[in-house]
Amino acid sequence: DAGVIQSPRHEVTEMGQEVTLRCKPISGHNSLFWYRQTMMRGLELLIYFNNNVPIDDSGMPEDRFSAKMPNASFSTLKIQPSEPRDSAVYFCASSFGRAAYQETQYFGPGTRLLVL
Amino acid sequence: GESVGLHLPTLSVQEGDNSIINCAYSNSASDYFIWYKQESGKGPQFIIDIRSNMDKRQGQRVTVLLNKTVKHLSLQIAATQPGDSAVYFCAENRGFQKLVFGTGTRLLVSP
């Protein structure tokens, strides 16, 4: 079974450039989550969607970050303009999203982003 | 000056020993807890979960214990193997599917 798919796996860019990270959730999952992992702050939830609708974006650092989910099988996280402090591993996760809570989230392999 | 990053506590064990990884959570209203394992270069992988109406749950070689009185969670791994070497995170559910992760514990298993 295919798990959560993320692309690219690695991204190196220069400060000021736009970065787009992509995620395909597990088929049949209705909730999708974007996380960021750094040594400084650990694993942080940025935003999550249920049935393609953003439910909580309180973790999004600032206006330079935006996320979309145009359909049930695709989501993007965009950083524009990127800054060196955005360097991190970005994970996408998905869950069935049918219950209000108590559901396991399954993580993708992550995108390692380095902003020079 | 440069900020100090997270310092992961490390548990070193010998192959075949039992391992116990501890986690303190902060929100007494959290009602669902999950343990994840993260190997180097990979995403967190689900190990076991427990609801707040339980105090113990067992899986294959793993047991999770929940003490709501002191807001403490532990993961016990029986007969630890080198393949168990990873960083282990506990996560608490703080409302509609919103998980908050702990800082993690690094488990090192020596053959």
Side-chain angles (χ1 to χ4, degrees):
Chain A
D1 288 343
V4 175
I5 298 173
Q6 291 187 247
S7 65
R9 293 294 310 276
H10 302 273
E11 177 82 20
V12 181
T13 190
E14 292 186 344
M15 182 174 61
Q17 296 298 305
E18 177 179 293
V19 175
T20 300
L21 311 181
R22 297 173 176 79
C23 176
K24 176 178 169 57
I26 294 172
S27 178
H29 282 192
N30 297 311
S31 288
L32 182 141
F33 308 80
W34 282 102
Y35 289 86
R36 177 172 67 177
Q37 187 175 40
T38 63
M39 286 301 296
M40 292 287 294
R41 300 173 66 88
L43 196 59
E44 305 173 279
L45 176 66
L46 301 177
I47 184 171
Y48 74 93
F49 297 83
N50 182 254
N51 292 322
N52 312 336
V53 176
I55 302 300
D56 186 338
D57 64 355
S58 60
M60 295 286 265
E62 49 197 273
D63 291 345
R64 297 185 298 107
F65 286 69
S66 63
K68 294 182 180 180
M69 191 165 187
N71 57 64
S73 59
F74 183 67
S75 176
T76 59
L77 177 67
K78 187 174 293 187
I79 308 172
Q80 168 63 22
S82 58
E83 297 182 2
R85 61 193 168 119
D86 302 329
S87 298
V89 182
Y90 290 81
F91 289 104
C92 178
S94 70
S95 69
F96 280 108
R98 287 193 293 262
Y101 53 87
Q102 299 188 359
E103 290 191 344
T104 302
Q105 295 179 21
Y106 297 89
F107 283 75
T111 296
R112 292 183 177 274
L113 173 65
L114 177 61
V115 183
L116 301 174
Chain B
E2 184 176 2
S3 300
V4 177
L6 288 175
H7 173 67
L8 286 181
T10 300
L11 175 64
S12 297
V13 300
Q14 293 287 119
E15 182 178 1
D17 287 351
N18 296 330
S19 302
I20 300 177
I21 300 172
N22 297 303
C23 175
Y25 64 94
S26 56
N27 192 331
S28 57
S30 294
D31 57 6
Y32 178 55
F33 305 87
I34 309 175
W35 279 100
Y36 283 90
K37 171 186 179 183
Q38 186 175 24
E39 296 174 281
S40 181
K42 297 184 179 180
Q45 176 187 4
F46 171 84
I47 301 175
I48 192 168
D49 58 1
I50 188 168
R51 292 180 171 79
S52 59
N53 61 353
M54 305 170 67
D55 53 21
K56 180 178 180 179
R57 190 167 189 217
Q58 288 185 292
Q60 188 176 16
R61 282 201 307 119
V62 294
T63 300
V64 55
L65 299 178
L66 175 62
N67 185 329
K68 294 182 288 294
T69 303
V70 295
K71 292 186 284 188
H72 183 267
L73 200 64
S74 69
L75 176 70
Q76 301 179 1
I77 305 173
T80 314
Q81 303 168 358
D84 296 327
S85 294
V87 177
Y88 290 80
F89 294 94
C90 66
E92 59 180 300
N93 183 289
R94 292 216 187 151
F96 188 86
Q97 300 191 50
K98 187 168 184 175
L99 292 182
V100 175
F101 284 78
T103 54
T105 296
R106 187 180 307 278
L107 176 64
L108 295 175
V109 183
S110 305

